[in-house]
Amino acid sequence: MKILILEDEKEISESIAAFLKKEGYVCDFAEKLTKASQLVNLFEYDCALIDLMLPDGSGLDLINLIKQKQPKCGVVVISAKNSLDDKVSGLNLGADDYLTKPFHLVELNARIKSLLRRRNFDGNNVIEFEDIKIELEKRKVSIKNKVIELTRREYDLLLFFMSNKERVLTKEAITEHIWGDNSNAFDNLDFVYTHIKNLRKKLSESGAVDNIQSVYGVGYKFAAK
Amino acid sequence: MKLINKISRYYLLNSTIVFFTAFAAIYFALNWIIKDDVDEQLFVNKQEIMKKISKGIPVDNPPFIEVTELNKKMSFEQAPGDTSIYQAEVNEMEPFRQIVSFYSSNNKHYKLTVRTSLIEMEDLLISLLIIFTVVFIMFVAILYFINRKTTKEIFRPFYKNLFKLKKYSIKSGETIELDSSDIDEFTELNVVLNELSEKASKEYQALKEFTEDLSHELQTPVSIIKSRLELLLQRKLVDEEMVEDLRKAYQNINKLDKLNRSLILLAKLESKDFFDSTKINIGETVKKIIDNFADIAESKNIAITSNIYSVNNIVCNVTLADVLVSNLLSNAIRHNYENGKIEVYLSESLLRISNTGCEQPLNEEKLFSRFDKNITSKESIGLGLAIVKKICLLYNYKIRYSFEKQMHIIEVEF
């Protein structure tokens, strides 16, 4: 999987790349629109992360180019410009997703994965890990081929965990992912715990290995035991 | 007190003082002049009476002339004086002026009293004073109205400018266009005001730009710190103290991030940037947000009851409508206690969110201002309601706070 990162702040693109490399992605960087355009003309990408405010133009132009040259490439807009209009115009131009900087790296990871899944596995979109199987289209979870009933929150949590295997998910990242941007009004994030507790209970009752570990003081991690 | 009334009041007060002084002066002056005249007349009369007495002509005519024979000669003369004498005809005491003198003729001695009635003189005096009073009052009244009219005329540009100043907002970025006047003081005032408003406006713009720039500039370093800390968190950390330090740093960079995002939104709202507005079903928005926060409320055992009757669409930006409702509801959850209550009511044009919380009513003015310490609990960043207020201002929604039956109520009228 190849990802193009168009971002003028080198520090940011480096940390994004450092995170994504561990997922097995190959990352190319561009700090300017011109360089990004050259790269798009030369190589094929599965996904492009595009900052809108660039020293030599707007990232919206690159979205246009990608849509013409590589219609299969997914586009995620990452913008510091907390502008609602940018979001709309970005999505109208064919961007698949939109993230406002600063974002959680695990959130970006989940978004990229979901985007790639949507693009690559038409109709038959399944994530599996050990005994757990998620059928994304049907929002169905089964363990050892036995369907289990999860609440909406539990399902979203499990999917988020399975998109970020072996990663520490902080409570902040989980809250923003599940409850959305507006949940950041809450500093006391204990309500996350209840849902995770219930999810773990349901998983282990159904005979799956409890892969959710709590990382003291920070958050949780989904990893093979 | 209005300037024009103040001027009128001073004018009337001074006129009254002048009136009484003039009245007293005229009274005493006339009195003196008339009495002097009367006295002269009395002397002339006396001389004539004396002549008549020496010729033996009877002169007694009380009360005007009284002649008494005396046994011995007296020779002093009294100055003219006032006296009152009972008049049977009118059954009253009436004022007279009299001179008493002693006179000897043909070895006879007389005491001679000559009098003049002062009734006519008094009448004259009163008539004169009445005429004076009437003329004076008319004079003052006419001047009073002329004064008021001119003052009004003179101050017209002043009041016009005052009205403009009242409407002027430093946030508009415009300068005030003040009406010119041919009065030097007003022209000077206009110049000073223009300079002042220009300067204030410039400084306000600069400050605003600074705040906006600052928030935008902060975004990148905050992004970098946040992602670096997240990378660090992914490492295998064994040192517990290090984890603790890292956790604190991470928590606070998240807080800073939230704060900065809120400030950027506030700045955007304040600059009245164009927000794409569409018709949205506010009822659906409210339902969606209640649904999203339901489990958060549940974790504090707070019961949310909602009555949503609206089928009305309001014109608003989708994101801003979300922010408005979310901020109100998250506020109602955050400042609530365990086992508390939240009631959400939505009709055609009114959204009311009531919640239990602290037992004292809050200060409405402070409630919607930034960073109010009173309501800033540990977990709040104190900008939520300021943002709500600004959204309401942008769309001309009315927002009210009240405290009834131990419930804090915030109402938004669309």
Side-chain angles (χ1 to χ4, degrees), chain A residues 90-144:
Chain A
L91 294 178
N92 278 347
L93 270 175
D96 300 277
D97 215 336
Y98 187 99
L99 268 176
T100 312
K101 277 194 286 191
F103 44 75
H104 297 279
L105 291 171
V106 287
E107 181 67 33
L108 175 69
N109 189 28
R111 302 275 186 111
I112 293 174
K113 283 215 173 131
S114 141
L115 174 59
L116 293 176
R117 275 197 304 266
R118 267 183 280 148
R119 294 198 158 256
N120 299 334
F121 310 95
D122 316 86
N124 184 25
N125 209 339
V126 175
I127 311 178
E128 274 179 284
F129 183 78
E130 293 179 354
D131 297 333
I132 307 170
K133 185 170 138 191
I134 305 181
E135 288 169 77
L136 291 163
E137 254 79 54
K138 300 178 190 154
R139 290 181 69 90
K140 214 164 85 183
V141 180
S142 47
I143 290 164
K144 294 175 180 162

Side-chain angles (χ1 to χ4, degrees), chain B residues 142-390:
Chain B
I142 290 167
L143 274 181
Y144 173 81
F145 286 111
I146 292 175
N147 249 344
R148 266 186 94 94
K149 233 181 130 59
T150 19
T151 314
K152 241 184 193 166
E153 200 57 44
I154 288 171
F155 278 99
R156 192 200 300 280
F158 174 80
Y159 283 114
K160 250 182 156 175
N161 288 341
L162 194 66
F163 180 69
K164 282 184 183 170
L165 279 174
K166 271 188 203 158
K167 283 207 304 188
Y168 176 69
S169 158
I170 204 168
K171 293 178 185 170
S172 69
E174 294 159 9
T175 45
I176 338 172
E177 301 270 319
L178 294 171
D179 276 25
S180 57
S181 150
D182 53 0
I183 299 164
D184 288 350
E185 282 85 344
F186 287 170
T187 317
E188 212 173 310
L189 184 69
N190 285 0
V191 171
V192 172
L193 281 175
N194 272 327
E195 277 172 12
L196 192 72
S197 76
E198 231 166 84
K199 209 171 144 198
S201 180
K202 260 187 206 157
E203 272 170 25
Y204 176 80
Q205 290 299 329
L207 190 68
K208 210 178 83 179
E209 272 165 35
F210 173 75
T211 322
E212 281 177 32
D213 290 350
L214 185 69
S215 305
H216 279 120
E217 289 306 315
L218 275 175
Q219 265 185 330
T220 304
V222 167
S223 276
I224 294 168
I225 296 172
K226 197 167 161 177
S227 57
R228 293 284 157 173
L229 285 179
E230 278 183 10
L231 285 176
L232 207 52
L233 281 171
Q234 299 305 333
R235 301 261 190 93
K236 266 222 155 59
L237 299 165
V238 273
D239 188 341
E240 250 177 57
E241 268 179 49
M242 207 161 125
V243 174
E244 186 60 20
D245 289 345
L246 196 55
R247 190 175 67 89
K248 286 263 165 68
Y250 180 73
Q251 262 178 4
N252 282 289
I253 198 71
N254 273 304
K255 226 179 238 181
L256 182 62
D257 176 22
K258 284 180 210 171
L259 188 66
N260 205 38
R261 281 181 199 221
S262 299
L263 284 174
I264 289 173
L265 181 58
L266 262 181
K268 241 175 116 59
L269 286 168
E270 242 159 49
S271 65
K272 306 229 157 139
D273 263 7
F274 180 72
F275 288 96
D276 257 338
S277 301
T278 47
K279 274 190 175 178
I280 55 168
N281 185 328
I282 187 72
E284 289 305 314
T285 308
V286 174
K287 274 185 210 161
K288 185 185 78 190
I289 287 161
I290 292 177
D291 187 42
N292 194 34
F293 285 165
D295 49 355
I296 300 180
E298 210 176 289
S299 72
K300 267 174 111 174
N301 227 345
I302 296 167
I304 303 183
T305 47
S306 61
N307 290 302
I308 292 162
Y309 300 110
S310 170
V311 283
N312 251 27
N313 292 327
I314 61 161
V315 175
C316 190
N317 178 284
V318 184
T319 316
L320 290 185
D322 269 16
V323 170
L324 177 91
V325 181
S326 307
N327 283 8
L328 287 176
L329 195 63
S330 59
N331 212 56
I333 297 172
R334 275 206 329 263
H335 299 291
N336 221 319
Y337 44 68
E338 296 256 332
N339 305 317
K341 271 197 306 190
I342 295 175
E343 283 164 19
V344 181
Y345 169 87
L346 179 74
S347 71
E348 299 261 315
S349 59
L350 182 83
L351 170 65
R352 186 196 303 133
I353 295 184
S354 335
N355 64 279
T356 49
C358 75
E359 292 187 356
Q360 269 84 42
L362 303 163
N363 180 333
E364 181 169 0
E365 217 169 280
K366 280 189 179 168
L367 188 66
F368 296 111
S369 65
R370 298 171 183 196
F371 304 116
D372 176 26
K373 292 285 173 288
N374 284 337
I375 56 155
T376 307
S377 70
K378 262 185 292 169
E379 41 175 292
S380 131
I381 53 167
L383 285 174
L385 286 181
I387 290 173
V388 167
K389 174 101 186 183
K390 283 277 180 293

Side-chain angles (χ1 to χ4, degrees), chain B residues 47-58:
Chain B
Q47 298 301 329
E48 269 174 25
I49 289 161
M50 281 181 190
K51 271 184 207 158
K52 279 183 183 167
I53 291 174
S54 29
K55 283 179 192 164
I57 300 167

